[in-house]
Amino acid sequence: MANVNPDLRKERENGTFSVEKLTNLLDGGKHVTDRRRHVERLALNEFSKGEDYNFMSRKERYISALHKTERALRCCKEYGLTKPDEVYWLWQLAFPHEASPIQLHGDMFLPTLTRQGTEEQVNKYLPLAEKYQIIGTYAQTEMGHGTFIRGLETTATYDPQTEEFILHSPTLTSLKWWPGGLGKTSNYAIVMALLYTNGKNYGMHPFMVQLRSHETHEPLPGITIGDIGPKFGFDTIDNGFVQFDHFRIPREDMLMKYSQVLKDGTYVKSTKLKKSSYGVMVLVRSMLIYYLAIQGLAPACTIAIRYSAVRRQSEQTKSQLEPQILDYQTQQYKLFPILASAYAVLFTGVKMKEIYYEVDNEIQQGHTERLPELHALSSGLKALTSSMASWCIERCRLACGGHGYSAASGFPKIYVAVTAACTYEGENTVMLLQCARYLIKTYQGASNGKKLSGSVSYLSDKVNSRSTITSEFSLKSLVDAFKHRAFRFQACGSDPEDSWNRNSVVLTKAAEAHCYYYMVSVFESVVEAVEDDAVKRVVGQLCQLFALFAIHENAGDFVQDGFISNDQMELVKWKELSLLSDIRRNAVLLVDAFDFHDEFIGSILGRFDGNVYANLFEWAKSSPLNKPEVQESYIKYLQPLLNPNKSKL
Ligand SMILES: CCCCCCCCCCCCCCCC(=O)SCCNC(=O)CCNC(=O)[C@H](O)C(C)(C)COP(=O)(O)OP(=O)(O)OC[C@H]1O[C@@H](n2cnc3c(N)ncnc32)[C@H](O)[C@@H]1OP(=O)(O)O
Ligand SMILES: Cc1cc2nc3c(=O)[nH]c(=O)nc-3n(C[C@H](O)[C@H](O)[C@H](O)COP(=O)(O)OP(=O)(O)OC[C@H]3O[C@@H](n4cnc5c(N)ncnc54)[C@H](O)[C@@H]3O)c2cc1C
């Protein structure tokens, strides 16, 4: 590439491994990289020349996203993109760090319909939904309850006379509140409501509900609906509210795969699947981990590391060039553990997707044994990785100094999208406690001699009481350290005498320890499988740093029971710093390997060519506040102060 910043050019000439090989590894093979690049070229042709998001109002952002949605759907059809990955690659460039107003249609409405609907219901609604002749969302959360689903108040009362359900919002707190795309975009929703039949409450069930007229898009009589107003972020999506006033829907529109209401009002449950109506949440949590890496951690550290290679600041030695800020050890200590985390979360996300599809397949065959483990693991990892991503992005922003605070850095857009994931799809503390609930039960089972498998098999293993860490820092010894910590936390979190709430801080730590152990072991297994020696070396260094940083940060957990000795802890600190120097040489290449387009990253600081300053100046000049030179606000408010004689007011 012509005209690349010389510092960045030098970084790229000095690497020790093939970036292309690492990109192929991250993609899952060379053929995937090739196909992804092909789809991205198609997307760039269509979407690269848009208006700058930073200079738009909220309403403009929503309208532009709707316009892009229509174009993205057309592109997918024109180019025959139907596989989920291909559609994702195109959408990612159409909506970088944004959400489409119809995001929930694909992410939750369709999966709920296909998983919870009967064959007839799927046959009736799916073809329409796939052609976008109906657009739906997932309406569960209410103003008064999001976490505690059993506390939801919207009712669906069966009327056997008319064979209809009457949907009603009995209180202010029962208004559905938050569903994405509910405010203005969707004309349908799957509404989660308490089912009442023959005077009995059967708990939360899903109902297919038409909200707006097919002809006019006006809300149907009995429905009050709207946008909930500006939020922290997600300006492109109309999170909404809806209130039902005795709104009737046909009996056939309760999604009845797992439970039915017969014509006479008899309730029939035809599954042993526990919490069957919670299924789609497990799906989204399982998928989120990968997207947190690819849309959050990886672009954020790409920005901060490229910028740190371009930025020079302060004087180390008189009359020499100011150093690149990437050469400061403190800067490396801020950024390289984040780089390592981006890789760790990415590999874990890939693994989690695989496990989800395996277990989902088993459930379709009637085998539900692994669902509790999947629920626990996806809940815990969703919480751990979204919290990790949020604080890492903030740390990347801080590492870019003043320019990090400008919208030109790209951080605000990335941060507000990622931090939302700490709340939606289950608030993080609550999700850690769900994970802990499973771990405690499993630990108690293991204590009674039950042999465990999968992610919890370590609870029935013998764990070492002394760490095997030496100056070699084998990945196995690091995995072992995390296994020991996780085991110890499960043991102290499961005191049956103590009440749940009194123990809940420890329980969240137990869940985190379990998830950390899982992440380190996934990372280790990926490194072990890498064939190319040079790639294996750099990815292995990242794995070591990921583990050592966490040991150092949580040193108490490892030394308290004498598992890691003081001497070993000194070695840990020494190795951590020496890894910073090792990784320094390849840092830019390690972010290049994510193979992101500038259009996706959306950051002047993180540009591939490193031409930061000239572009920053051009961008600032294009700010609407700079046109016209003298603003009307001057005449109205400043002139009377600055120049009272000239003021016309
Ligand atoms: C990322 C970067 C940018 C991306 C940029 C673009 C993308 C942008 C996308 C935007 C996409 C936004 C999408 C947000 C969409 C929502 O946020 S939708 C709403 C999501 N809502 C939630 O997640 C609610 C969280 N709350 C819950 O899940 C439940 O109420 C709780 C906390 C699990 C408790 O439920 P409960 O009924 O009280 O259950 P509880 O008594 O605790 O447990 C009973 C049993 O059920 C089990 N159980 C509970 N849940 C489950 C389950 N799901 N499965 C199986 N078993 C379960 C328990 O383990 C327990 O088992 P046992 O111990 O008895 O054996
Ligand atoms: C951007 C965004 C998009 C969303 N999209 C949708 C959507 O499409 N559809 C939909 O239905 N919903 C959606 N939601 C709602 C979301 O799922 C809920 O907000 C979320 O599940 C958290 O529930 P809550 O708001 O009730 O939090 P609360 O439960 O009120 O949390 C507040 C605090 O209480 C604590 N707390 C609550 N219960 C416990 C407990 N048992 N133990 C310990 N601590 C507890 C939490 O840890 C937290 O600190 C969205 C939310 C956001 C922010």
Side-chain angles (χ1 to χ4, degrees), residues 104 138 140-141 146-147 178-180 234 239 423-425 427 429-430:
L104 268 287
Y138 180 82
Q140 179 174 295
T141 305
T147 291
W178 272 113
F234 277 128
N239 294 79
T423 306
Y424 67 59
E425 219 50 71
E427 194 281 327
T429 306
V430 175

Side-chain angles (χ1 to χ4, degrees), residues 97-99 103-104 107-108 138 140-141 146-150 234 274-275 278-279 281-282 284-285 288 291-292 295-296 371 375 417-418 421 424-427 430-431 434 437 441:
H97 314 293
E98 297 165 24
Q103 191 83 33
L104 268 287
D107 289 354
M108 294 192 84
Y138 180 82
Q140 179 174 295
T141 305
T147 291
F148 184 54
I149 301 175
R150 283 180 287 138
F234 277 128
K274 209 169 166 189
K275 301 285 179 192
Y278 291 13
M281 290 185 273
V282 180
V284 181
R285 288 172 198 147
L288 251 178
Y291 295 115
L292 284 161
Q295 302 204 36
L371 177 62
H375 163 57
V418 162
Y424 67 59
E425 219 50 71
E427 194 281 327
V430 175
M431 290 297 98
Q434 278 293 304
R437 179 184 169 112
K441 284 192 172 176

Side-chain angles (χ1 to χ4, degrees), residues 166-240:
I166 306 162
L167 283 172
H168 188 58
S169 313
T171 57
L172 180 63
T173 45
S174 73
L175 263 69
K176 291 292 174 193
W177 200 272
W178 272 113
L182 174 64
K184 291 284 153 196
T185 312
S186 306
N187 58 357
Y188 275 70
I190 289 173
V191 174
M192 305 305 276
L194 297 177
L195 165 64
Y196 280 86
T197 180
N198 290 332
K200 196 170 161 203
N201 175 2
Y202 286 92
M204 186 181 89
H205 285 72
F207 297 86
M208 176 66 79
V209 182
Q210 183 182 346
L211 302 168
R212 290 176 176 273
S213 149
H214 281 287
E215 286 74 37
T216 63
H217 206 61
E218 289 288 338
L220 298 180
I223 288 182
T224 308
I225 198 164
D227 174 75
I228 62 168
K231 298 149 296 200
F232 215 68
F234 277 128
D235 281 3
T236 51
I237 188 167
D238 48 324
N239 294 79

